[in-house]
Amino acid sequence: MRVESMVDTGDGPWSARGPSRAAGAGEFSGFCSSHYNRLVGVLGLYCGDRATGEELAQEALARAWSHWAKVRDLEDPAGWLYRVAMNLANSHFRRKRAERRAHQSGRPIPDGGEDPAAILAIRAAVAQLPRRKRTVLVLRYYLDLPFAQVAQLMDAPESTVKSLARRALEDLRGEFTPTGEANYVY
């Protein structure tokens, strides 16, 4: 998706939402350009599906646009964006869970199959982790945020975040380490 298409500076139906000044639109366009690809990657890994990650990233950026006057003045606008994105992803999971219960179907929806098998296996394993462990892994190791910032985004003590990361890595290593081999956590 082109970032420019996300910013409507005309008199269209969405122009009432978000900043109306061209300078604000240009500033927001730069913000989108610098965060869109990583945001899609984070959400795709977190959700286990790149297409869902793209949809959620677009929604998060749309919300940032509608609140841009406030967001741009925050100390960490990117942190706000990622927090909104993770909240949207968690809402997505709640909706999917409710749909599965309504349809009484426990089968996972197959992925598009465009990724290599190893990447799909890792995504599936990450998707099976509990939400907090999955959140820590995606923010810390995919987005490469320091533990302190992950703790701030998750509203949890840094020691808890480190412990969750260690246990999540242990879980993944247990999933991919052949039986009988050492299972060290570094």
Side-chain angles (χ1 to χ4, degrees):
M1 167 175 219
R2 293 181 47 140
V3 173
E4 293 80 24
S5 67
M6 298 178 70
V7 179
D8 175 18
T9 58
D11 294 330
W14 298 100
S15 62
R17 299 180 68 181
S20 59
R21 299 182 311 276
E27 183 182 19
F28 182 73
S29 181
F31 180 76
C32 286
S33 295
S34 63
H35 294 287
Y36 180 74
N37 288 332
R38 277 186 97 184
L39 187 61
V40 168
V42 165
L43 292 168
L45 180 60
Y46 186 70
C47 296
D49 178 47
R50 183 170 174 85
T52 301
E54 288 175 351
E55 288 178 28
L56 293 172
Q58 291 168 15
E59 177 62 26
L61 286 167
R63 291 186 184 194
W65 171 248
S66 67
H67 298 286
W68 187 242
K70 176 188 87 166
V71 172
R72 72 174 171 205
D73 293 333
L74 293 175
E75 184 177 320
D76 185 13
W80 183 93
L81 176 67
Y82 286 102
R83 178 68 170 219
V84 167
M86 297 306 278
N87 288 344
L88 288 169
N90 289 329
S91 294
H92 168 78
F93 286 127
R94 281 192 297 274
R95 259 191 321 279
K96 288 294 183 188
R97 193 169 42 247
E99 288 173 9
R100 277 195 305 272
R101 280 194 305 260
H103 292 100
Q104 296 182 359
S105 171
R107 295 178 313 201
I109 298 171
D111 195 9
E114 300 162 354
D115 292 338
I119 292 174
L120 289 175
I122 292 169
R123 283 186 177 176
V126 170
Q128 295 301 313
L129 291 172
R131 182 182 55 83
R132 287 172 46 106
K133 287 181 180 179
R134 188 173 59 240
T135 301
V136 167
L137 283 184
V138 170
L139 293 175
R140 173 66 183 110
Y141 298 106
Y142 186 81
L143 199 53
D144 202 26
L145 296 177
F147 280 115
Q149 191 171 3
V150 173
Q152 180 184 6
L153 289 172
M154 292 182 65
D155 195 28
E158 189 172 340
S159 59
T160 299
V161 169
K162 288 179 178 180
S163 177
L164 285 168
R166 181 185 53 78
R167 292 193 317 246
L169 290 173
E170 285 175 354
D171 292 349
L172 289 177
R173 285 191 180 105
E175 184 78 23
F176 293 104
T177 302
T179 306
E181 288 190 21
N183 189 9
Y184 296 106
V185 176
Y186 299 100

